[in-house]
Amino acid sequence: MRVAIITESFSPDVNGVANSVARVADHLLARGHEPLVIAPRPAPRAGRAITEKPYPVVRLGSLPMPGYGNVRLAWPTRRLREALAGHRADVVHLASPFVLGAWGAKAAADLGIPVVAIYQTDVPGYARAYGVAPGEALSWRWIRHVHGRAAATLAPSSTTAAELVAHGVPNVGRWGRGVDAELFHPSRRDESLRAALAPGGELIVGYVGRLAREKRVDLLARTAALPGVRVVVVGDGPTREAVRRAVPQADFLGTRRGTDLARLYASLDVFVHTGPHETFCQTVQEAQASGVPVVAPAIGGPLDLVRHGVDGLLVPPNDGAAFAAAVGTLADPAVRRDYGRAARAAVASRTWSALGDELIGHYAAATATVRVPGRVPAPVAVPVHVP
């Protein structure tokens, strides 16, 4: 199968969309399929970080998004349609479509290529977080327009799927995310690293992810003020300095990758994710695979991932005191040990290989639709449970 993946973000970007696209493309190649990735060209300063891929990657001209310079927006160009036609794509995979994905959906419809759209970024939620009141309604209108061209829209969590259905998006199904349980493993716990992070033997509480307004990392201020607690923040973003001011006691370690990141995860005592706008929350899975109990908001993706009182704790979103109280509950080493074991067991079957094969099944269902140039392919009936 020849699959064209059109993504709003790709390597060297470090985020959930870029990571999942790379995983999908690698899996397709391993299964004997032929992937093509179409993505915005990264900023010039990122040129040295671009690594060659074993599949073709088409980079389109891009500009920084106003107010969020490390996000690039590709502009419409004939190269997009030419790339789809030249690849002779059987199916188009739209990864978190919004700008480039919208043009990709139109080009695919013109060429009669069926589309599978992956919903991953809560743009309406971001509009709320940034105080852009009209932006939420406009975002949903645009999402319905873009995803209406797809044979299937796949949401990463039950909450997100229900929200899409409630806002009139058709043909909604579920497709989660895999986790590398070999890379993220409890055996990577590093006592020398722990001693460096908490020389007084403090409880190490960590956040991993982007530093942006919608992530609400400032909510860790109360946790950082707890006696015997050390907060570490892994990641970077536009609100780095604001978070430093809000949580001055924290250690800011910057962006980490690979085994370095895996050592940090496994060396934590508690993982905390504060963002209330997560459609899935991959960092929660990575912490669970590392055998670390999780504290997360009881909203969005974490509701599917964290079993409250079993492998972590769910707290009211946007409540710093609730996060601090949950961390206090996990101060007991015996509780953390039981939660960590349960967390590791919970993700054992969530491999990227299994999730990749599931996605290929969605592609196959989409390619069974009638292909008529200029017409949106007939929808694929995708059942979804709406709680």
Side-chain angles (χ1 to χ4, degrees), residues 186-352:
S187 65
R188 296 192 184 274
R189 187 177 178 89
D190 187 328
E191 294 302 328
S192 62
L193 175 59
R194 286 179 52 80
L197 293 173
E202 296 91 344
L203 186 79
I204 304 176
V205 178
Y207 166 87
V208 177
R210 285 186 300 112
L211 302 182
R213 187 186 304 181
E214 68 274 7
K215 298 298 184 181
R216 294 304 316 273
V217 187
D218 58 290
L219 292 172
L220 292 178
R222 293 216 183 178
T223 299
L226 292 173
V229 169
R230 191 69 173 171
V231 170
V232 297
V233 176
V234 180
D236 203 352
T239 63
R240 179 181 60 245
E241 294 309 315
V243 176
R244 280 185 186 275
R245 292 191 296 271
V247 196
Q249 309 97 319
D251 281 338
F252 289 79
L253 306 183
T255 301
R256 302 296 179 93
R257 298 180 176 86
T259 56
D260 192 20
L261 176 60
R263 281 194 315 125
L264 279 165
Y265 269 121
S267 300
L268 299 176
D269 292 309
V270 180
F271 176 78
V272 175
H273 189 88
T274 48
H277 301 293
E278 300 301 315
T279 59
F280 185 74
C281 203
Q282 180 70 348
T283 56
V284 165
Q285 279 202 142
E286 291 168 352
Q288 290 175 320
S290 303
V292 178
V294 171
V295 177
I299 190 171
L303 289 173
D304 284 347
L305 300 176
V306 180
R307 293 171 295 171
H308 183 76
V310 176
D311 52 25
L313 296 172
L314 294 168
V315 301
N318 301 308
D319 188 338
F323 279 101
V327 168
T329 300
L330 294 172
D332 185 339
V335 173
R336 293 202 308 276
R337 182 178 60 251
D338 291 345
Y339 278 32
R341 288 173 178 169
R344 174 70 188 178
V347 301
S349 63
R350 299 178 197 164
T351 65
W352 274 111

Side-chain angles (χ1 to χ4, degrees), residues 50-102:
I50 297 176
T51 57
E52 291 296 322
K53 302 296 182 185
Y55 42 80
V57 178
V58 175
R59 303 276 186 175
L60 302 180
S62 67
L63 293 170
M65 187 173 84
Y68 209 146
N70 61 339
V71 175
R72 308 289 296 188
L73 302 178
W75 58 74
T77 170
R78 287 183 301 177
R79 286 191 65 204
L80 176 58
R81 177 174 174 143
E82 290 168 357
L84 292 180
H87 190 62
R88 305 193 312 280
D90 297 304
V91 64
V92 169
H93 169 136
L94 300 182
S96 196
F98 204 73
V99 179
L100 181 58

